[in-house]
Amino acid sequence: MGDGGGNGLGEDGFIELDGVEKVFRVRRKAGRWRREVHGVRAVDGISFRVPRGRMVGYIGPNGAGKSTTIKMLTGVLTPSGGRIRVAGVDPSRERVRLARRIGVVFGQRTTLWWDLPLRDSYALVRRIYRVPQARWRANLDRCVELLELGGLLDVPVRQLSLGQRMRGDIAAALLHDPEVLYLDEPTIGLDVVSKARVRGFLREVNAERGVTVLLTTHDLTDIEQLCDRVMVIDHGRLVYDGALEGLHRVGGSERTLVVDLAREAPPIRVGGARTVRVEGPRQWLAFPADASAAPLVARIAAEHPLVDLSVREPDIEDVIARMYARDAAGPAGPAASVPASRGPVERPAEPGRSEPGRSEPGRSEPGR
């Protein structure tokens, strides 16, 4: 796999992982009365460092080990092997101490109290983290302003839309001035407007407070607009660490320009792109993901009567599949920065989503 030259292993590490592994023990039926224990390796020897104040994307397909990594970084799960340090603290040994220094948002979980209005949830957060009243008020006012929560403070969480609740969760994660913010799918299910608000807020927080952000997402646009470095995990292993542009080059991925013409026309021929599909007046053109769409649009608009157009980003699953295809065909760039696996890995359908006897870091969910 490719290495974009940005793994940061020689830099000062605020977040440090060294050979981290996580193996889940699963009991399976092996006869009428017998059960065998199998090890499912969700994370397989991951090492990386993130300097203070950076925004880093951590991406991969479903079941790759992203959420498991986040849970080990927060102390919810204990690694099966390797070493983790966050701000010099071992998360699994000093979870309470670390909790005051981190903020966590799980896109499919809420840390808010389901039946309480946002205002009351935020007041409880202040008491839990023992935030001074003046500092809490300043943080709350800033979050309310940037995330446009003013009209929602007296609304019970259960009555909020997904986008409104997500903005409420992000605000709650920042009220105690965390040094690190872990975001697990923070824009999942959000509309375009909500996504733009969340992204703008995260840029402001990073610039003003120097908060270190580790972002997991399936939306490459989140990474493109927020992060200068991206790490890709697949089957529990780190397969890429560098710039997003480098990832596209290594994978040879493509974006798609969808063009609606005023009338039906033969396939569009334009340099730097190829027409892959035509349906009536609509045409789909593929072009390199690391190239700008603007020159392509300008050339098409100069020669054809445009009605509408849109750009579709490549799926991360497709990017990774192309990386593996190119590796199988032969060397396509710099060697991977991560050593090969030491043995076969059994891949769970959704590793790290839950573990018997352990709970999510959220405090309230629907029906609780």
Side-chain angles (χ1 to χ4, degrees):
M1 299 303 163
D3 175 15
N7 61 12
L9 291 176
E11 303 172 31
D12 177 36
F14 188 61
I15 299 174
E16 300 182 62
L17 286 81
D18 185 13
V20 173
E21 301 178 347
K22 181 60 184 178
V23 179
F24 292 95
R25 302 298 175 186
V26 179
R27 295 183 180 275
R28 292 181 179 168
K29 190 173 182 179
R32 186 170 183 180
W33 307 108
R34 293 176 56 244
R35 296 289 187 275
E36 290 183 350
V37 178
H38 294 264
V40 178
R41 191 180 297 275
V43 174
D44 185 19
I46 286 180
S47 300
F48 64 80
R49 294 181 183 174
V50 178
R52 183 189 291 269
R54 294 283 293 276
M55 297 184 73
V56 178
Y58 191 55
I59 62 179
N62 288 329
K66 304 185 301 296
S67 294
T68 302
T69 305
I70 296 296
K71 290 176 181 178
M72 289 190 289
L73 285 168
T74 59
V76 174
L77 294 178
T78 301
S80 304
R83 174 181 178 273
I84 298 180
R85 291 293 183 273
V86 178
V89 176
D90 183 337
S92 62
R93 294 180 179 272
E94 300 179 87
R95 182 179 175 186
V96 175
R97 177 185 169 195
L98 181 65
R100 299 182 182 278
R101 306 180 67 178
I102 65 173
V104 186
V105 176
F106 285 97
Q108 300 183 35
R109 300 286 188 274
T110 182
T111 56
L112 303 169
W113 281 262
W114 199 246
D115 294 312
L116 296 180
L118 278 179
R119 191 186 306 276
D120 291 350
S121 286
Y122 294 155
L124 287 169
V125 168
R126 182 182 76 82
R127 292 184 177 275
I128 289 172
Y129 288 98
R130 301 176 184 175
V131 184
Q133 175 71 30
R135 188 59 189 162
W136 173 82
R137 173 54 61 184
N139 288 344
L140 179 58
D141 290 345
R142 187 64 172 149
C143 289
V144 168
E145 176 190 355
L146 293 177
L147 290 170
E148 300 183 24
L149 295 172
L152 304 175
L153 291 178
D154 295 314
V155 179
V157 173
R158 55 184 165 78
Q159 294 181 11
L160 299 176
S161 68
L162 177 60
Q164 292 169 341
R165 180 176 60 77
M166 185 58 60
R167 283 183 279 145
D169 272 314
I170 293 174
L174 289 164
L175 291 177
H176 61 290
D177 284 326
E179 300 171 63
V180 185
L181 183 61
Y182 300 114
L183 300 172
D184 189 7
E185 302 284 3
T187 61
I188 187 170
L190 301 191
D191 58 41
V192 174
V193 175
S194 296
K195 285 185 178 183
R197 285 175 181 161
V198 168
R199 291 167 183 158
F201 175 73
L202 293 175
R203 280 193 293 266
E204 292 259 359
V205 167
N206 177 255
E208 291 181 0
R209 304 187 190 179
V211 176
T212 305
V213 178
L214 188 63
L215 168 67
T216 76
T217 181
H218 279 85
D219 189 342
L220 288 182
T221 306
D222 287 344
I223 305 297
E224 190 174 54
Q225 295 191 10
L226 294 173
C227 305
D228 57 3
R229 173 184 169 196
V230 59
M231 296 181 288
V232 180
I233 181 175
D234 189 40
H235 289 75
R237 308 174 193 124
L238 199 62
V239 297
Y240 178 84
D241 188 348
L244 181 61
E245 295 78 10
L247 173 62
H248 287 313
R249 285 195 298 271
V250 171
S253 56
E254 295 178 317
R255 289 193 286 174
T256 303
L257 179 66
V258 183
V259 177
D260 288 322
L261 303 176
R263 54 186 175 274
E264 292 189 23
I268 295 174
R269 295 187 177 183
V270 60
R274 57 189 177 86
T275 302
V276 295
R277 182 179 170 190
V278 177
E279 286 187 7
R282 176 169 292 184
Q283 301 195 21
W284 286 257
L285 290 86
F287 65 99
D290 59 346
S292 171
L296 180 61
V297 171
R299 289 196 295 270
I300 294 175
E303 300 176 9
H304 301 273
L306 280 180
V307 175
D308 195 12
L309 58 86
S310 62
V311 178
R312 297 180 181 175
E313 298 295 328
D315 293 331
I316 184 59
E317 287 84 356
D318 180 59
V319 174
I320 294 175
R322 286 174 176 269
M323 289 173 66
Y324 277 116
R326 291 188 61 169
D327 278 4
S337 60
V338 182
S341 172
R342 293 171 299 284
V345 176
E346 185 175 357
R347 183 183 183 183
E350 280 292 330
R353 291 293 176 190
S354 62
E355 184 183 28
R358 304 304 295 265
S359 62
E360 295 288 355
R363 292 178 291 278
S364 175
E365 297 181 43
R368 289 181 60 181

